[in-house]
Amino acid sequence: MDVKAAGSDASIAERDQYEKNVRMFHEFLNSNRSKWEKTLDTELANHRYRIPVELKDLRQAEEGLERKILQQPVKYLLAWEEALMTFLKDVNEKACKQLKQPLKLDIQGSFGRNHVTPRGMNCTQLHQLMKVEGIVTKSGLTAPKLLQSMHVRKNQEDGHVEQRDHRDATSFVQSSAAGAMPSHDSEGNELALEIGLSVYKDYQKFFIQEAPENSPPGQIPRSIEVICEGDLADKTKPGD
């Protein structure tokens, strides 16, 4: 009982913090409404759905906020992107309805100690927002990644559909959730995956190698693997 109560309290506190972050960023956008209206119009006119936000602007809005976003991006970015969508709906409802994909934030500026080369990446930077400088040495093909699977009753056309969300360790959430494919529904009927109704997003891997001039003398340049999804996939090629 105590465990359930503690879990419920933690969930409520997390939701309250999320809503607080939504309100805070919405107030930040409204504090310079004309600037952000112009920025959104410009980006959408050029079919860009990642809206640039400078760390220095966040610092002016709240002291130390730029460090918080770099240390805990999951805690802030999802809430801020929701606030951004709400702001767009307020200032340009027509553009909001015509969106082909959700708006995302592109955090820019001086990352300080979070700006590293592949050699500087280590376990202490897990779950942080990092800027890694290097050369793309190898990039994989873009492939679809399953986000939500839809299942219908096999050999029956009664319109019954069951869905299952799929999240892994790379998902932009606090905790991943296992997404095993259901084989039967609650009534024991056999289910089949409906590929056409399922939801996917682009997925790609590539490798960034430390530039030779940045590696210590006599040592081999180090590489790291990068996973990009959605609109970030298929943006790089070897040599970039």
Side-chain angles (χ1 to χ4, degrees):
M1 188 69 178
D2 292 340
V3 175
K4 290 183 179 179
S8 177
D9 290 343
S11 178
I12 293 173
E14 184 178 322
R15 184 63 195 174
D16 289 344
Q17 182 63 47
Y18 180 88
E19 292 175 352
K20 179 182 177 181
N21 291 334
V22 172
R23 290 194 300 271
M24 184 273 292
F25 196 71
H26 196 268
E27 292 170 0
F28 168 75
L29 295 173
N30 278 296
S31 66
N32 201 341
R33 191 180 182 94
S34 59
K35 171 194 171 184
W36 288 107
E37 280 188 45
K38 184 177 179 181
T39 299
L40 285 170
D41 290 343
T42 301
E43 296 299 315
L44 294 177
N46 289 284
H47 305 290
R48 294 193 293 260
Y49 300 96
R50 286 194 174 265
I51 310 303
V53 177
E54 289 285 342
L55 287 172
K56 63 181 181 180
D57 294 336
L58 298 177
R59 187 185 308 115
Q60 293 172 359
E62 179 183 322
E63 188 64 32
L65 184 58
E66 79 283 0
R67 290 307 309 167
K68 293 179 182 178
I69 181 65
L70 294 178
Q71 295 293 329
Q72 296 179 298
V74 174
K75 183 178 179 180
Y76 293 94
L77 283 183
L78 295 179
W80 290 2
E81 286 169 357
E82 180 179 325
L84 182 63
M85 291 295 295
T86 303
F87 180 79
L88 176 62
K89 187 175 181 180
D90 291 343
V91 300
N92 194 340
E93 188 172 357
K94 181 180 178 181
C96 187
K97 291 180 179 179
Q98 293 176 345
L99 280 180
K100 297 180 180 179
Q101 62 188 66
L103 294 180
K104 301 289 184 181
L105 291 176
D106 179 15
I107 305 298
Q108 300 180 354
S110 174
F111 277 54
R113 70 184 65 177
N114 286 44
H115 185 178
V116 299
T117 65
R119 188 176 296 274
M121 290 291 290
N122 56 56
C123 62
T124 62
Q125 290 142 355
L126 284 172
H127 304 296
Q128 294 187 26
L129 188 61
M130 305 295 297
K131 179 185 287 187
V132 184
E133 185 176 344
I135 302 171
V136 178
T137 57
K138 182 172 66 173
S139 61
L141 297 174
T142 302
K145 179 179 181 179
L146 183 63
L147 287 182
Q148 188 180 70
S149 58
M150 299 293 182
H151 305 266
V152 298
R153 288 173 176 166
K154 201 170 185 179
N155 302 322
Q156 296 185 38
E157 297 184 1
D158 55 0
H160 177 82
V161 177
E162 290 196 13
Q163 66 182 41
R164 181 69 57 89
D165 293 329
H166 300 269
R167 303 198 302 266
D168 57 18
T170 65
S171 299
F172 206 43
V173 291
Q174 294 285 8
S175 59
S176 58
M181 293 287 188
S183 57
H184 294 80
D185 61 13
S186 57
E187 299 175 2
N189 297 301
E190 189 175 359
L191 296 175
L193 174 65
E194 183 59 52
I195 296 176
L197 295 178
S198 299
V199 181
Y200 305 85
K201 67 177 175 181
D202 290 337
Y203 175 90
Q204 183 190 28
K205 292 182 180 181
F206 61 89
F207 289 86
I208 294 181
Q209 180 177 287
E210 184 179 25
E213 60 269 20
N214 292 334
S215 57
Q219 295 192 28
I220 298 174
R222 292 190 179 176
S223 299
I224 60 169
E225 183 182 53
V226 179
I227 296 174
C228 52
E229 299 176 342
D231 62 313
L232 295 178
D234 203 24
K235 295 290 186 184
T236 64
K237 60 184 183 298
D240 289 349

